[in-house]
Amino acid sequence: MHPPAKLECCLRRVDESTIFMTYPDGDSASEMQRIADLDRIEGTIRPLGPSLVKLYFNIVHPTFPILHKDDFLDKHARSHHEFPPSLLAGVYLIALDWQQFNKELAAVPRALDAAILEDLAMRAIENDMKRPTLSTLQAGLLLLQRVRRTNNTLLTQLVFLGQTLGIHVDCSDWFIPAWERGLRCRLAWALYMQDKWGALVHGRPSLISDRLAWDDENNSDWDVRPCTVEDFHEILIKAEDVPYGSVDAKAGRVSFIHAIELTRIFSQLQYAFCSVGATKKGGRLDKLGATGTMALAESFAQQLRQWYTNLPGCLKLDTTTHMRGLSANGALHLSHMAAELTLHRAVLRALRPETPPSLKSTIRTAARARLLSALKLVETLQPKHTQSFWGFAAPAQMAMIGSFAGLLWATSADCDEAIEYVHQIERLRWALQVRGSAVPFIREAIRMLDEETGDLEALKTATYQAFS
């Protein structure tokens, strides 16, 4: 037997001290498998691929810009064989949620089976992981946006993959095209946001270690420069030419940048109040007590207020930049509310029997006001918001409003106060029900809310019994 041929390594120098080593795929059968996978994926939706791609770039891409739009469209116009299977399946899969927004797709007599496409996508990404590229990272991030997918293993793989591809370091001075620098920066921050909000969704520590605001030395392994509008290289179309039922790309770019800024604040907040070091017995919050915790929280509250104040007009909740368009601003405002609720929840949990009544009253009054503000936000959402793209964290963020009301219920001092919070949970559930009949993320939020709060009538009965 002859030993296997040694694969030649190709070196790609991107700066004076950074070199990537790439290898050709030595297994010829893998290329045949890639083509076969692409044909199966295309076969599940043929001839509707172009319509799904158009939907994706009209609705998802503006606020989740992890693809190079012009390059993708050029390749798709030539052949579906030009993509990694997982990426093509991911784009089709995400776009299926807006099937009714396209006349051709809405008129299809047969239902497009998302479950089959998702199964093909997950099997394909396992193969793509063996020869990872930036496209593999893009595909994984798309698949993690699926409402039903809570795959922590995939996220862990993507963080490792991103570091292997150099996503976690500053590429500003690399000898690479400007479009690739911009794409790398956008991809890095999309992965960062996936990880940081994933810590909230799954109740686990963050996988990405970034610099702490109060640390004098930057000992972080995360060295990505801030994302700016210069990192977007596709040409914007005029506002009057924006397609019906789409999200304005200019507003989407600004939304993405502000979402990054919010997530950076949230990351610091999570570490300060929700890490093991903060919550363990004798940890940071125990040492601070209610008064110290409230003082620490105020500094983060100020940052969140400043972030909200700095939002441009195009990101206000009631703004739509063009007629008959969708607005992705609801998702941004919900994330801000989730950060505020995380802060209030931490302060509530710092209360002790010995906490002065006046301080306890102040903290609970502020928490109640924030709960009512969160409920008002949900009730303000219109179809232009709910029918837009919402990321993977939205269901948990919605359900968090109910669990926050549940915390206030569990710590109520009297029956009337406790019953009020049961009514607020009912109010939230109704607000979601009347908005969720055709919106996957809201249906998932209702499921999570019911799972956390249980039967509300039984909750009322238990409340009356507890205070009788």
Side-chain angles (χ1 to χ4, degrees), residues 98-167:
W98 290 273
Q99 186 174 340
Q100 297 304 315
F101 278 69
N102 180 280
K103 291 181 180 180
E104 182 183 9
L105 289 168
V108 173
R110 64 184 177 90
L112 297 176
D113 197 328
I116 292 177
L117 193 56
E118 185 169 0
D119 182 60
L120 287 171
M122 294 307 298
R123 279 189 287 155
I125 201 167
E126 289 181 9
N127 289 327
D128 291 343
M129 286 282 187
K130 299 173 185 176
R131 44 185 179 186
T133 63
L134 291 180
S135 296
T136 314
L137 181 57
Q138 292 168 325
L141 286 170
L142 286 179
L143 294 175
L144 285 173
Q145 304 314 302
R146 292 290 293 167
V147 168
R148 292 183 300 277
R149 183 150 299 283
T150 55
N151 194 325
N152 266 316
T153 302
L154 178 56
L155 177 58
T156 304
Q157 290 175 305
L158 292 182
V159 172
F160 170 77
L161 172 60
Q163 292 168 340
T164 301
L165 297 171
I167 283 295

Side-chain angles (χ1 to χ4, degrees), residues 353-374:
E354 64 273 15
T355 303
S358 59
L359 179 58
K360 186 178 295 186
S361 176
T362 299
I363 290 173
R364 290 189 64 83
T365 299
R368 179 180 181 275
R370 189 55 56 222
L371 171 64
L372 296 179
S373 178

Side-chain angles (χ1 to χ4, degrees), residues 374-396:
L375 289 167
K376 184 177 179 181
L377 169 64
V378 177
E379 293 171 338
T380 304
L381 295 177
Q382 302 174 30
K384 67 179 181 181
H385 301 117
T386 58
Q387 296 292 339
S388 188
F389 171 69
W390 295 70
F392 79 105

Side-chain angles (χ1 to χ4, degrees), residues 174-370:
W174 286 9
F175 312 136
I176 58 177
W179 68 262
E180 185 179 347
R181 283 196 294 272
L183 179 63
R184 280 179 165 274
C185 185
R186 301 194 317 262
L187 263 176
W189 287 113
L191 182 62
Y192 178 91
M193 290 191 284
Q194 185 77 31
D195 172 54
K196 298 303 179 180
W197 290 107
L200 171 73
V201 172
H202 303 298
R204 53 130 178 101
S206 170
L207 300 173
I208 294 175
S209 172
D210 52 340
R211 181 183 179 185
L212 300 176
W214 51 84
D215 190 0
D216 292 333
E217 297 183 14
N218 187 358
N219 296 317
S220 166
D221 290 325
W222 186 257
D223 186 34
V224 183
R225 62 175 173 77
C227 187
T228 68
V229 291
E230 283 72 32
D231 292 312
F232 299 80
H233 295 278
E234 65 202 54
I235 298 174
L236 290 173
I237 61 177
K238 297 179 180 179
E240 58 267 25
D241 297 327
V242 174
Y244 162 76
S246 62
V247 175
D248 180 71
K250 185 176 181 180
R253 294 177 179 184
V254 180
S255 175
F256 184 73
I257 292 170
H258 280 268
I260 295 169
E261 294 173 359
L262 175 62
T263 307
R264 295 180 75 175
I265 298 172
F266 179 71
S267 173
Q268 303 285 310
L269 188 161
Q270 279 275 90
Y271 179 81
F273 294 99
C274 305
S275 63
V276 174
T279 57
K280 70 180 181 179
K281 187 176 181 179
R284 185 183 306 114
L285 300 185
D286 264 0
K287 293 177 181 177
L288 288 173
T291 303
T293 300
M294 191 172 180
L296 179 60
E298 179 53 38
S299 66
F300 284 99
Q302 178 59 37
Q303 292 181 59
L304 290 172
R305 282 193 295 269
Q306 190 62 50
W307 177 89
Y308 188 84
T309 301
N310 291 342
L311 286 180
C314 65
L315 298 185
K316 301 299 183 183
L317 191 62
D318 58 354
T319 300
T320 302
T321 53
H322 61 95
M323 295 298 291
R324 299 189 303 171
L326 297 176
S327 171
N329 295 348
L332 189 64
H333 284 256
L334 179 62
S335 292
H336 174 257
M337 184 58 64
E340 290 196 319
L341 291 179
T342 300
L343 198 57
H344 282 271
R345 186 164 60 182
V347 176
L348 278 172
R349 287 176 171 168
L351 294 176
R352 298 292 182 268
E354 64 273 15
T355 303
S358 59
L359 179 58
K360 186 178 295 186
S361 176
T362 299
I363 290 173
R364 290 189 64 83
T365 299
R368 179 180 181 275
R370 189 55 56 222

